[in-house]
Amino acid sequence: DVERTAALGAAATLPLDTPPAEIAERIAELAYRGEEPEPEAEAAAMPPPPPSPTRRQLRAEAKVGREARIIAVWGPPGSHGRSSLAAALAHALVRYGRVLLIDADLAAPSLTPRLGILDDVSGLATLSRRANQGRLDEEVLAGAVIASHGFDLVTGIGRADRWRDISTATIEPILALAREHYDAI
């Protein structure tokens, strides 16, 4: 699968038997954007969450020419640890900038309960529906995210009857809009 994944355009591929330290080093290389974290942030066990921006601030923050990193945590159905890894990565990347975590697991989204969020409204369904209608904008994005643990979260879809709402045609504009406002997705 390493060769197949690389052929699909993955920035990095590692075999399953790669030591954890090497995996962490490779992830840090890919996510590192040339900015050193503050020394206080290094020492803190969990950095305090930044205040959530208002919709007006979110619109004003659009930065021209900025290219956010998109990191996909993927595994075959039934594999363990994907949500834990994704949440840990999002938390670790907060020190480098704004982070958006999207729970795009259509079969069993689990980030919402894992992070202790009681909201059962799907942010991904909202964004996808608006993308289908051609009405996806900064205000919709700001309304669909939940601030949690220092990063923003787009909750997943837990109902099979809603899976048809999600497609490449709706995910691509969501990622394009998110890239304008986040450093890592």
Side-chain angles (χ1 to χ4, degrees):
D1 285 350
V2 171
E3 291 82 21
R4 281 188 13 206
T5 307
L8 291 172
T13 56
L14 298 170
L16 289 174
D17 60 351
T18 303
E22 188 177 331
I23 293 171
E25 183 178 313
R26 188 65 179 130
I27 290 170
E29 287 173 11
L30 291 170
Y32 182 67
R33 299 183 62 76
E35 304 163 5
E36 287 295 325
E38 296 294 322
E40 300 84 34
E42 274 294 325
M46 183 171 185
S52 296
T54 63
R55 290 179 180 168
R56 185 174 304 190
Q57 288 170 328
L58 189 60
R59 281 193 295 269
E61 283 181 9
K63 295 180 178 135
V64 178
R66 182 170 96 185
E67 197 62 19
R69 301 276 183 172
I70 297 177
I71 301 168
V73 177
W74 177 88
S79 59
H80 300 285
R82 295 172 295 177
S83 296
S84 296
L85 178 60
L89 279 172
H91 185 270
L93 291 173
V94 166
R95 70 175 82 173
Y96 297 102
R98 294 194 62 214
V99 177
L100 177 64
L101 179 58
I102 301 174
D103 192 348
D105 184 342
L106 297 182
S110 63
L111 284 169
T112 305
R114 179 170 305 282
L115 296 172
I117 298 170
L118 302 176
D119 190 356
D120 63 349
V121 175
S122 172
L124 186 58
T126 299
L127 294 173
S128 294
R129 190 169 36 257
R130 285 305 199 70
N132 265 336
Q133 298 168 350
R135 298 181 11 205
L136 183 63
D137 60 19
E138 294 86 0
E139 189 171 327
V140 173
L141 177 62
V145 301
I146 296 172
S148 173
H149 304 317
F151 52 84
D152 286 347
L153 171 70
V154 173
T155 55
I157 296 178
R159 293 179 21 209
D161 62 323
R162 301 302 311 262
W163 293 350
R164 69 183 184 289
D165 295 345
I166 310 301
S167 68
T168 303
T170 61
I171 292 293
E172 287 177 354
I174 293 168
L175 292 176
L177 179 61
R179 278 188 140 160
E180 295 175 15
H181 302 285
Y182 292 90
D183 300 302
I185 304 161

